[in-house]
């Protein structure tokens, strides 16, 4: 066998291309694995002939020799992507024996070589390999180091608790020795790794680099890592002292955004009220919204006043944040009610109206009456704010406000102030249990206001209202209309005309009205028109 092996090796060294390829195939099939054979075949990896190089790699893929992996190392930056991919796989198969030469070769190698070496090291794992990858970060660029860190991520997921503890110690030791200003890419990479590991004790090193004196990338990565490391931890007083000034910087940057994310995830100290008030003066709306959110956690009369005031802000997002914070504060109910009683801003009044149902508490009668006075004034002046008052009073005392609106509307109808009456009666449609007489007053007022357009509008509000009343109640609609002396014959005719055009029960009401006109005014135009319409509809 020794002589045969020598003959085969001789062919590998000096045979024709075909003979050398065949000899390499035989050596691979026989899995000949010794230092001499590996060394000879390793020299072929430097061959300019791609066919020979391919067969030499096949040998390494078949045999997977553990000795002399240096032959494969040269392939890691080969111009042929397929070659260095196969070299990576072969080196992974070599195992831990490949780690020392990989780490030694990485110092002066090309970027492609280093990244492929990192792929092998990450796949092999082990303390030496992972620690070696850390040291590769020292001379790396931002881009190179990012790739190396990404390669380490899957390896971290596969580590057990003991390995994770050991690796954290290595990263912490590595980071502590860095000059962050001179070795920024390595420092940023350390922060990324510490963030992935998520150990609370990393806060001591990370918090040093969030100040304005550091590069923006360093600050941002330190904050991202802190977000992960402090996920279930309390922020300490000295840490708050370093974080709060970041929100007061003139420019809204990634640092500001990350600081907001970090502080949003934690409860602020009880003595933060003055700081939050100061942040409300920030030129950045996101900082203002943060302050509004946190005011819900540190409730005082002053913060409640601030939050209530912000309900009138032009930015709906700030209004929503203020409302969300107020919902957390039971004591805010009285402040909201007090503000509503004097409020002139319709948008702000609606924000309060939507908020008040969130709180428990009884309504004082004097407050309800005060709101009724405000509502009366708003309806009389046709102010938009009236809808907010109605919404509040419907929940505070629905019977009280219904009766008030109905009585006022009835008085105005009696006084022939139909337009003003509609303002008080129309809101009653929104109450679930309306009274028939109030519905009649509203329909009557609409008829008086718009009878001239009734014949040409089948969806006229008066027709709809009378139809609903006639169908769903026993109210004497016809008798009430017939007896009312303020209704002109033309108005009754318009209503009857519109009703007989419909197909429901209300058609009968229309027939009754036209018959009444035909009988009462048989010789004038209205009576004749009523009689003709009845003939046309077959009544």
């Amino acid at each position: 066998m020794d002589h045969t092996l020598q003959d085969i090796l001789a062919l590998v060294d000096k045979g024709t291309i075909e003979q050398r390829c065949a000899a390499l195939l035989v050596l691979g099939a026989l899995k000949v694995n010794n230092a001499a054979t590996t060394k000879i075949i390793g020299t072929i990896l430097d061959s300019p002939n791609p066919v020979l190089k391919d067969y030499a790699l096949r040998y390494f893929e078949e045999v997977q020799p553990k000795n002399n992996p240096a032959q494969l190392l040269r392939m890691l930056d080969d111009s042929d992507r397929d070659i260095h991919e196969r070299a990576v796989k072969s080196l992974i198969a070599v195992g831990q024996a490949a780690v020392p030469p990989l780490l030694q070769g990485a110092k002066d190698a090309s970027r492609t070589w280093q990244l492929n070496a990192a792929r092998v090291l990450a796949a092999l794992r082990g303390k030496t390999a992972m620690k070696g990858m850390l040291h590769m970060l020292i001379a790396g660029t931002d881009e190179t180091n990012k790739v190396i860190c990404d390669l380490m991520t899957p390896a971290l997921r596969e580590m057990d608790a003991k390995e994770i503890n050991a690796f954290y110690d290595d990263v912490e030791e590595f980071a502590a020795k860095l000059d962050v200003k001179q070795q920024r890419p390595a420092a940023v990479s350390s922060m990324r790794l510490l963030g992935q590991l998520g150990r609370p004790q990393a806060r001591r090193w990370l918090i040093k680099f969030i100040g304005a004196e550091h590069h923006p990338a360093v600050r941002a990565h330190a904050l991202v890592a802190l977000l992960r490391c402090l996920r279930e931890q309390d922020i300490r007083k000295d840490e708050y002292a370093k974080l709060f000034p970041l929100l007061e910087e003139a420019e809204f940057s990634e640092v500001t955004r990350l600081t907001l994310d970090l502080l949003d995830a934690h409860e602020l100290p009880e003595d933060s009220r003055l700081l939050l008030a100061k942040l409300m003066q920030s030129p950045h709306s996101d900082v203002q919204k943060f302050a509004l959110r946190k005011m819900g956690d540190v409730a005082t009369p002053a913060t409640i006043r601030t939050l209530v005031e912000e309900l009138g802000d032009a930015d709906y997002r700030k209004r929503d944040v203020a409302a969300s914070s107020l919902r957390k504060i039971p004591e805010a109910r009285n402040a909201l009610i007090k503000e509503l009683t004097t409020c002139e801003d319709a948008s702000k009044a609606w924000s309060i109206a939507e908020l008040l149902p969130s709180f428990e508490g009884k309504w004082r009668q004097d407050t309800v009456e005060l709101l009724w006075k405000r509502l009366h004034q708003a309806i009389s002046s046709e102010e938009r704010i009236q809808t907010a008052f109605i919404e509040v009073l419907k929940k505070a005392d629905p019977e009280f406000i219904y009766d008030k609106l109905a009585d006022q509307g009835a008085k105005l109808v009696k006084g022939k102030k139909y337009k003003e009456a509609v303002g008080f009666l129309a809101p009653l449609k929104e109450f679930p249990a309306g009274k028939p007489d109030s519905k009649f007053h509203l329909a009557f007022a609409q008829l008086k206001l718009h009878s001239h357009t009734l014949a040409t509008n089948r969806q006229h509000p008066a027709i709809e209202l009378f139809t609903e009343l006639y169908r769903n109640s026993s109210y004497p609609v016809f008798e009430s209309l017939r007896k009312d002396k303020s209704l002109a014959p033309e108005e009754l005719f318009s209503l009857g005309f519109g009703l007989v055009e419909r197909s429901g029960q209300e058609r009968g009401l229309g027939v009754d009205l036209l018959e009444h006109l035909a009988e009462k005014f048989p010789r004038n135009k209205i009576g004749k028109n009523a009689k003709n319409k009845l003939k046309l509809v077959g009544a």
Side-chain angles (χ1 to χ4, degrees):
M1 181 65 181
D2 289 343
H3 292 295
T4 303
L5 180 59
Q6 291 301 321
D7 291 341
I8 295 172
L9 288 174
L11 285 174
V12 169
D13 190 29
K14 296 185 178 179
T16 65
I17 297 296
E18 291 80 3
Q19 288 173 331
R20 297 174 79 182
C21 291
L24 288 167
L25 279 176
V26 170
L27 290 171
L30 294 174
K31 296 194 183 300
V32 177
N33 185 1
N34 57 60
T37 302
T38 304
K39 184 177 180 180
I40 291 172
I41 297 175
T43 60
I44 300 175
L45 293 176
D46 292 328
S47 171
N49 188 311
V51 177
L52 279 175
K53 187 182 292 187
D54 174 62
Y55 277 86
L57 267 176
R58 289 190 192 186
Y59 164 81
F60 281 99
E61 290 166 346
E62 285 288 334
V63 178
Q64 297 181 2
K66 304 297 182 186
N67 52 2
N68 203 14
Q71 307 294 340
L72 292 168
L73 299 182
R74 296 194 296 273
M75 299 294 99
L76 290 178
D77 60 356
D78 195 277
S79 58
D80 186 335
R81 179 180 177 83
D82 179 63
I83 294 293
H84 65 63
E85 286 294 322
R86 291 166 67 185
V88 166
K89 292 178 182 177
S90 295
L91 284 165
I92 291 172
V94 169
Q96 292 297 320
V99 172
L102 280 168
L103 295 177
Q104 186 175 359
K107 296 176 182 177
D108 302 313
S110 68
R111 179 177 182 273
T112 301
W113 195 100
Q114 289 181 333
L115 293 180
N116 283 322
R119 291 171 61 196
V120 178
L121 293 167
L124 293 175
R125 290 170 47 197
K127 183 175 179 63
T128 304
M130 297 298 286
K131 193 170 184 178
M133 290 181 76
L134 279 179
H135 288 279
M136 288 175 68
L137 300 171
I138 293 176
T141 62
D142 288 324
E143 186 178 353
T144 300
N145 285 4
K146 181 180 184 303
V147 176
I148 292 174
C149 286
D150 289 343
L151 289 169
M152 297 172 83
T153 301
L156 292 177
R157 294 196 192 106
E158 296 175 10
M159 288 182 179
D160 58 30
K162 184 177 180 181
E163 290 173 317
I164 286 288
N165 289 336
F167 185 64
Y168 172 80
D169 291 341
D170 289 339
V171 176
E172 188 178 49
E173 181 183 356
F174 173 76
K177 294 177 180 178
L178 294 173
D179 182 332
V180 173
K181 292 187 177 179
Q182 297 298 320
Q183 298 170 302
R184 180 169 52 80
V188 165
S189 298
S190 300
M191 292 169 182
R192 292 186 66 196
L193 292 170
L194 288 171
Q196 289 184 50
L197 291 166
R199 296 300 177 87
Q201 55 266 44
R203 68 204 299 170
R204 293 172 297 184
W205 185 73
L206 293 167
I207 201 72
K208 298 175 184 178
F209 305 107
I210 65 173
E213 69 274 15
H214 294 286
H215 189 280
V218 172
R219 302 174 73 195
H221 279 85
L223 285 164
V224 170
L226 282 169
L227 269 167
R228 294 173 177 170
C229 294
L230 300 180
R231 193 166 292 160
E232 297 180 1
Q233 303 292 315
D234 293 331
I235 296 180
R236 297 166 183 162
K237 190 171 183 179
D238 61 315
E239 293 168 337
Y240 276 120
K242 293 184 177 181
L243 288 165
F244 284 144
L246 306 187
L247 300 180
E248 299 178 47
E249 294 181 0
E251 180 184 355
F252 189 90
S253 63
E254 182 71 0
V255 168
T256 316
R257 186 187 66 78
L258 290 168
T259 305
L260 290 174
D261 289 345
L262 179 57
L263 292 173
D264 248 340
H266 295 81
E267 290 188 8
L268 298 187
E270 293 183 0
D271 58 355
S272 301
R273 181 180 61 81
L274 293 177
L275 171 71
L276 294 174
K278 185 177 181 182
L279 292 179
M280 284 301 301
Q281 307 306 315
S282 170
H284 311 304
S285 62
D286 283 351
V287 175
Q288 294 177 13
K289 286 184 281 186
F290 162 78
L292 290 172
R293 281 194 298 275
K294 289 303 182 180
M295 283 182 180
D297 299 329
V298 287
T300 66
T303 57
I304 291 173
R305 283 195 300 273
T306 300
L307 290 169
V308 171
E309 187 62 31
E310 290 301 319
L311 293 176
D313 195 273
D315 186 342
Y316 74 91
R317 291 164 295 189
K318 288 176 66 177
R319 295 199 303 268
D320 289 347
V321 174
S324 179
S325 291
L326 285 165
R327 285 189 179 94
K328 302 177 186 177
I329 310 172
E331 300 87 347
R333 181 176 183 270
N334 291 337
L336 289 167
I337 293 172
K338 182 179 179 181
E339 179 68 20
L340 183 62
T341 59
T342 59
C343 185
E344 300 292 341
D345 180 347
S347 176
K348 186 176 185 180
W350 255 111
S351 294
I352 295 173
E354 291 173 341
L355 263 176
L356 284 173
S358 305
F359 301 93
E360 295 182 359
K362 294 182 178 181
W363 284 85
R364 291 172 47 179
Q365 190 58 35
D366 59 339
T367 302
V368 173
E369 290 177 357
L370 178 57
L371 288 173
W372 159 244
K373 289 179 181 178
R374 290 296 318 277
L375 173 59
H376 190 293
Q377 178 187 352
I379 293 176
S380 299
S381 304
E382 298 184 11
E383 299 173 21
R384 286 195 314 118
I385 200 172
Q386 63 182 276
T387 55
F389 292 133
I390 291 170
E391 187 66 20
V392 172
L393 287 167
K394 277 169 62 179
K395 292 181 171 63
D397 194 338
E399 291 185 8
F400 171 86
I401 187 57
Y402 188 97
D403 290 342
K404 285 289 187 181
L405 289 168
D407 291 347
Q408 183 63 24
K411 288 178 184 177
L412 291 167
V413 169
K414 189 175 181 179
K416 299 183 179 182
K417 296 181 178 179
Y418 302 114
K419 182 180 179 181
E420 293 84 348
V422 169
F424 286 89
L425 294 170
L428 299 179
K429 293 189 294 182
E430 305 301 324
F431 285 72
K435 297 176 182 178
D437 55 345
S438 301
K439 294 179 180 179
F440 180 81
H441 289 144
L442 176 59
F444 187 91
Q446 292 282 24
L447 176 61
K448 294 295 291 184
L449 281 175
H450 307 294
S451 61
H452 59 286
T453 63
L454 196 147
T456 59
N457 184 359
R458 292 189 177 185
Q459 305 300 321
H460 194 283
I463 290 181
E464 296 297 327
L465 289 164
F466 278 118
T467 294
E468 193 273 334
L469 181 60
Y470 189 77
R471 285 180 180 180
N472 301 318
S473 75
S474 58
Y475 191 85
V477 180
F478 172 68
E479 290 299 321
S480 299
L481 290 169
R482 183 177 65 83
K483 293 178 180 178
D484 196 296
K485 295 181 180 180
S486 66
L487 282 172
E490 291 80 8
E491 292 169 332
L492 284 175
F493 176 78
S494 295
L495 178 59
F497 187 98
L499 290 169
V500 296
E501 293 284 317
R502 299 168 73 99
S503 58
Q505 299 174 20
E506 65 274 16
R507 189 172 185 272
L509 175 60
V511 170
D512 290 342
L513 289 171
L514 293 177
E515 287 179 345
H516 166 68
L517 291 170
E519 291 175 6
K520 189 172 182 179
F521 308 103
R523 295 184 180 181
N524 67 17
K525 185 178 178 180
I526 285 294
K528 291 177 181 179
N529 287 343
K531 187 175 182 180
N532 289 336
K533 183 62 178 177
L534 288 168
K535 287 179 181 180
L536 286 173
V537 298

